[in-house]
Amino acid sequence: MSEGHRPGQPPPAPRGTAGRPMLSLALAALLDEVHAHSGAVYLLAPDQPVLEMAVMAGMPRDFAAPWERVGLSAPIPVAQAVRERRLIWVGGEEEMARRYPRIAVVLPYPFALAALPLATGGAAYGAVFVTWPAAHPPVLSDWERDHLTAACDRLALRLERAAAERRPVRAEPDLPAAGPSGGTAGSLGSVEAARMVARLPYGLAALDVHGRVSFANTAAADLLGLPVAELLGTRLWASVPWLNDPMYEDRYRGALLSQQVTAFVALRPPSDWLSFRLYPSATGLSVRITRARAVAELGRGTPRPGDGASSSSLVTISRVLGLAGAMTEAVGVRDVVQLVADEIVPAVGSQALMILGSQSGRLQVLGQRGYRDRRAVEQFHGTPLSAPTPSTRVLSTGAPAFFGSRQELERLYPVRYPVRDDFAAWAYLPLIASGRPVGTCVLAYAEPHPFPADERAVLTSLGGLIAQALERARLYDAKHRLAHGLQQALLPHSLPRVPGFDAAARYLPATQGMEIGGDFYDLVPTRPAAAVIGDVQGHNVTAAGLMGQLRTAVRAYTTVGQEPQEVMRSTNLLLMDLGVELFASCLYLRLDPADGSAVMSRAGHPPPLLRRPDGRVRVLDLAGGPLLGIDPAATYPTTRVGLAPGSVLVLYTDGLVESPGVDIEDALAELGQLLGAAGEVPLGVLADCLVRHSAAARERADDVALLLLRARGDG
């Protein structure tokens, strides 16, 4: 988009362009030929797989603001039309909800849409979409198809000529709505017309296509509680405080896009109910405002503030975006079930929820909320996908099913399950992600519940959001199981007993990512025994696999009798030879209980702590070399440290002491204070204490490995 262009506003006219606006004229002629209500032309961005809206007609641009720029891979009609080089037809709101839930969840209104590519035999230049109001038949006629195809072919040829002549085609100002078809007829002049409208006992107002008030009579001003001067040029939901609810703006959008008469009631505080009836046309809307009948007498489908069962409360952009954002934070399947139960179930007015998946040709209950009888849930589990039930039918066909009463359900599915639940209406929503079914969402209602078309569209669209979250969650759970199993397999299941020393260890995975990393520890029961702790860079399967290789290598070099510095040098060369371009820190020590000492070698690893028998703690400043995997010629000198009986040696990885905003020296000092204040306690208790009271370990931005060794003096 051009610099300074704000979403929702038409783009400025291109500077320096000569001649008539090609795109605007072509779009206007196309809309007139096929009697369409609105439309837009997209152009392919130079050197990018992106479609950019160049001109729009018939509706405010903010209706399509989320799709002003779309990638060619996006699951929306204009992108699909270019990808597949064919006309894409969507015959109504239910079809839109099923095939393009991202659009339907923002525009859940009855309208038809056609999208076509602007392409010649040699190249694609963009796309066009046009829409018709709800009254359009669900099937595109042959003459409409022919006119659309011919018009787009003509425009594509003009774009091809412009490209060959190196004439840039740029965005053009959006087309204004068509003006009135005629003036006031006969002897009834405009002044007399205004007088006549002023005498009417009910309120009348006119809104343009952007929702701004262009006319209001005195009765309308009185009912709304604002002078006419304060209404003109404003949007009703912006100027009238008690209409400042997204559900009322949504009714305006629905009327304008569907071109259907739309009605709602609103409460003017403290107790006056007003009825609004919207009469749309291509130029805007006429609004009739009257005092409402008793609310209890109003027909169903009339939105009421605070009515949790109203589907209109679901279709506001802010609520959808909030729900979509919350869905992205759902980690596992359990989180998805809880989120849907907390956010969607109350919003749609249902009383229970069940989410089903499939495994080995049978249904699997992934989670539920609101079913009091567990038997009613358990009978779903293990149902063959071939069974004639609504949950299996929805999963196999991808089409939603709605049953407003038990009679409707049992008429189509006379034999369902032996244990009846306590509910009276159901919505079965297919959960389709990436073009394949991943499950079924069942919403149950305590009372019979009609499902009007707009509510069905919204629920189907919400099924798309749930499906995306469920697919991510199941993938995460599978990766988590893989990571947990791999980590457990690579770390020692238990520590062996070594002469003269007691040992304890703890490992905590990071709370972010796959919960798998490269931290490792080991105790090798050779004579003399050896201990090692290290940290391979990264939090992925590669780091974990490399960690397993290093741990095995250290054991092998120790078993053949290499000295500590040789073990470190050999491990460094191995890491270099593997060519994985990952680094590792390591601390290796050979324990000698005979003279009460340990010989240590360090490769870029945090220094160990030593707690003496008298309770004093010091950080061991060991000589060492660089990280493993950096320099093939690196050497790793050793340091001998005395270990009197009762001394405790603390080996750890940086996840125990490093956290954002905390100085490492302060973290080591805090760890030393914890170690000194712990007293003579079993090593397992001491390990738990150090992990529990470490600020870095509580945050767990990184893996934490901890290995404690206490000298007994009986070696």
Side-chain angles (χ1 to χ4, degrees), residues 38-115:
S38 66
V41 177
Y42 285 82
L43 296 177
L44 270 172
D47 304 320
Q48 295 183 62
V50 174
L51 290 167
E52 297 179 330
M53 186 181 291
V55 63
M56 190 167 188
M59 73 174 76
R61 181 173 282 243
D62 60 4
F63 277 35
W67 308 288
E68 284 193 296
R69 280 176 54 89
V70 297
L72 282 182
S73 61
I76 67 172
V78 287
Q80 185 180 353
V82 176
R83 289 196 307 270
E84 301 178 6
R85 300 290 184 92
R86 67 181 181 91
L87 185 151
I88 303 297
W89 169 251
V90 184
E93 61 181 325
E94 289 196 28
E95 186 178 358
M96 182 70 77
R98 185 172 65 253
R99 295 172 56 190
Y100 306 101
R102 295 187 187 180
I103 295 178
V105 81
V106 177
L107 299 175
Y109 314 117
F111 66 95
L113 178 144

Side-chain angles (χ1 to χ4, degrees), residues 135 170 393 535 572 703:
R170 301 186 178 91
R393 177 74 174 171
D535 183 1
N572 178 53
D703 307 320

